[in-house]
């Protein structure tokens, strides 16, 4: 199975250790989504923007660990997204984003460059 990561799970980010057993397949840009800054990690929701991400092949135990990390509190829900590498799961934010800073450039790695 494959997963799309767009923030703290990306290479050289704070939670990238979760992807240690994954196989990096490549970078990807998804359209139809917006990226928001939650502080230590981001949120993606359906919208009119684009989001820069990475696609990995992972095993079922890694997916279960990520589900426990991301979906247990209801903060995120997994959605299946088409990529050049095949369908991949992506965690989509489920809470309101009013008042959060939108990263209009769509790249978590460049968040410091955005107003």
């Amino acid at each position: 199975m494959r997963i799309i990561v767009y923030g703290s799970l990306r290479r050289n980010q704070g939670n990238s250790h979760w992807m240690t057993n994954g196989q990096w397949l490549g970078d990807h840009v998804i359209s139809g989504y917006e990226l928001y800054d939650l502080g230590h990690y981001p949120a993606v929701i359906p919208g009119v923007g684009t989001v820069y991400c990475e696609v990995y092949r992972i095993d079922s135990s890694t997916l279960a660990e990520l589900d426990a990390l991301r979906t247990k509190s209801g903060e995120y829900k997994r959605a299946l997204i088409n990529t050049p590498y095949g369908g991949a799961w992506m965690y989509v934010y489920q809470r309101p984003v009013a008042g959060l800073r939108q990263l209009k450039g769509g790249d978590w790695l460049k968040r410091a460059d955005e107003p």
Side-chain angles (χ1 to χ4, degrees):
M1 65 193 66
R2 289 169 291 279
I3 190 161
I4 295 170
V5 298
Y6 50 81
S8 65
L9 294 170
R10 288 174 70 181
R11 288 173 290 175
N12 302 314
Q13 296 301 298
N15 286 323
S16 62
H17 63 276
W18 288 95
M19 304 310 299
T20 302
N21 293 328
Q23 175 191 6
W24 178 75
L25 299 175
D27 294 322
H28 182 54
V29 179
I30 55 171
S31 298
Y33 289 88
E34 297 173 353
L35 184 68
Y36 287 85
D37 187 351
L38 299 177
H40 294 294
Y41 55 93
V44 161
I45 64 166
V48 296
T50 57
V51 176
Y52 291 83
C53 55
E54 298 169 2
V55 182
Y56 287 84
R57 183 181 322 279
I58 59 172
D59 59 25
S60 58
S61 64
T62 301
L63 184 63
E65 290 172 352
L66 292 173
D67 277 350
L69 178 70
R70 296 288 184 221
T71 64
K72 185 176 182 181
S73 67
E75 193 173 28
Y76 293 88
K77 181 179 178 182
R78 266 198 283 133
L80 192 58
I81 308 293
N82 289 322
T83 77
Y85 312 99
W89 292 110
M90 182 175 77
Y91 292 100
V92 179
Y93 196 62
Q94 299 298 299
R95 296 185 178 157
V97 294
L100 296 175
R101 179 173 71 124
Q102 182 181 1
L103 301 174
K104 294 187 186 252
D107 192 343
W108 178 250
L109 302 183
K110 296 181 180 177
R111 65 192 177 279
D113 299 337
E114 292 208 24

